[in-house]
Amino acid sequence: MSSAVRRPLIAVTLGHDLPGQPATLRLPRSYVQALAKAGATPIAIPPGVDSSCTRQVLEQVDGLFLPGGVDPHPRSFGEEVHPKTTIDEELDALELHAITCAVSMGMPILGVCRGSQILNVALGGSLIQHLEPGTINHYRPDLPLSTEVHEVRLADDSRLAKLSGTRLLRVNSLHHQAISRPAPALRVVAQSEDGLAEAVEALDPARWMIGVQYHPEELIDHQAHSSLFDDFVSACSEFASKPRGTT
């Protein structure tokens, strides 16, 4: 009989390949590779399923990963749609419900780029819908995503600072939106040189919940970024070992 340690199961949300192929679902391979390298088994949840299906999946997994993608609908924070905003309403519905379920269970959550934004929105925060190039151009599709574009300063007492072993972190950048007002349950723990929020963590230090605006899955060869996935998967393993409960 095999004595292999059970790998934690992590739900990963899928969005449509917008705007080019709306009938196709999309998930960059780098997310799967980063999670698998850290010791997890990713489980995809597609958009368009009903809320009971989403909850059923969340009840079977040990963590929730929210990848990058198009923009959350601004109705969630009381604004009209900006001309530069691209929306996937089925993905919004999926992720908003998945976040609600995961939070109620105390499940670890990691959001990347859009994932950080939708986490903030789901918990009551707001977004800047469009960033024009300024001191930093945060949207650099002309560069390989492995390119370090700018620096972010980490809060001394943040989990990210502890994991990365530094207070100044070089990151890539591929976003035209950003967190404006952080949700009450989150605090900003990283800022770029122009003052934009680059990462948030749970205000409650006992809860594993992190959102980053950059793409650490594309910088996984650097310990400062791979450690985020390692710690996330470790937290998911710990969550898997505890009795399930909801609030």
Side-chain angles (χ1 to χ4, degrees):
M1 182 178 295
S2 173
S3 60
V5 175
R6 176 185 178 276
R7 296 165 68 97
L9 304 176
I10 295 179
V12 181
T13 52
L14 298 182
H16 297 94
D17 191 6
L18 296 175
Q21 301 184 82
T24 301
L25 299 180
R26 173 183 177 274
L27 181 70
R29 186 178 180 184
S30 53
Y31 294 121
V32 176
Q33 291 175 322
L35 290 168
K37 183 179 179 182
T41 299
I43 303 293
I45 315 180
V49 298
D50 64 37
S51 59
S52 63
C53 293
T54 301
R55 184 163 192 94
Q56 183 179 14
V57 173
L58 266 293
E59 288 173 346
Q60 302 302 314
V61 300
D62 311 307
L64 174 62
F65 181 79
L66 306 163
V70 296
D71 310 316
H73 200 299
R75 74 161 70 95
S76 296
F77 48 94
E79 293 186 11
E80 298 296 320
V81 177
H82 188 282
K84 298 285 189 180
T85 297
T86 302
I87 296 163
D88 184 343
E89 294 196 64
E90 285 191 339
L91 176 58
D92 283 353
L94 168 63
E95 291 187 330
L96 291 172
H97 185 60
I99 291 165
T100 297
C101 293
V103 169
S104 74
M105 298 173 188
M107 179 180 292
I109 304 173
L110 174 58
V112 167
C113 200
R114 171 204 156 87
S116 178
Q117 296 166 8
I118 195 69
L119 178 62
N120 186 59
V121 168
L123 298 178
S126 66
L127 303 177
I128 300 167
Q129 285 197 62
H130 185 64
L131 299 166
E132 295 293 346
T135 308
I136 299 172
N137 181 359
H138 289 272
Y139 183 62
R140 296 301 307 270
D142 56 312
L143 297 175
L145 202 44
S146 58
T147 305
E148 296 174 344
V149 173
H150 64 83
E151 230 171 31
V152 300
R153 181 173 292 277
L154 306 178
D156 291 350
D157 62 345
S158 65
R159 187 184 294 270
L160 276 176
K162 180 180 178 181
L163 290 173
S164 62
T166 184
R167 301 298 182 269
L168 291 174
L169 189 63
R170 297 288 300 176
V171 301
N172 48 17
S173 201
L174 190 68
H175 63 103
H176 81 110
Q177 296 199 335
I179 288 174
S180 176
R181 182 185 71 253
L186 299 173
R187 67 179 186 122
V188 176
V189 296
Q191 290 183 301
S192 52
E193 297 161 42
D194 56 356
L196 275 184
E198 290 281 345
V200 289
E201 294 180 5
L203 201 57
D204 177 1
R207 181 182 283 275
W208 207 106
M209 188 186 303
I210 296 179
V212 296
Q213 188 58 75
Y214 47 92
H215 285 269
E217 78 283 356
E218 296 289 348
L219 301 170
I220 206 72
D221 290 338
H222 301 271
Q223 186 275 334
H225 297 290
S226 64
S227 61
L228 174 59
F229 286 94
D230 292 340
D231 198 58
F232 174 51
V233 172
S234 177
C236 293
S237 292
E238 183 178 351
F239 176 79
S241 69
K242 296 177 180 178
R244 292 294 170 102
T246 59
T247 58

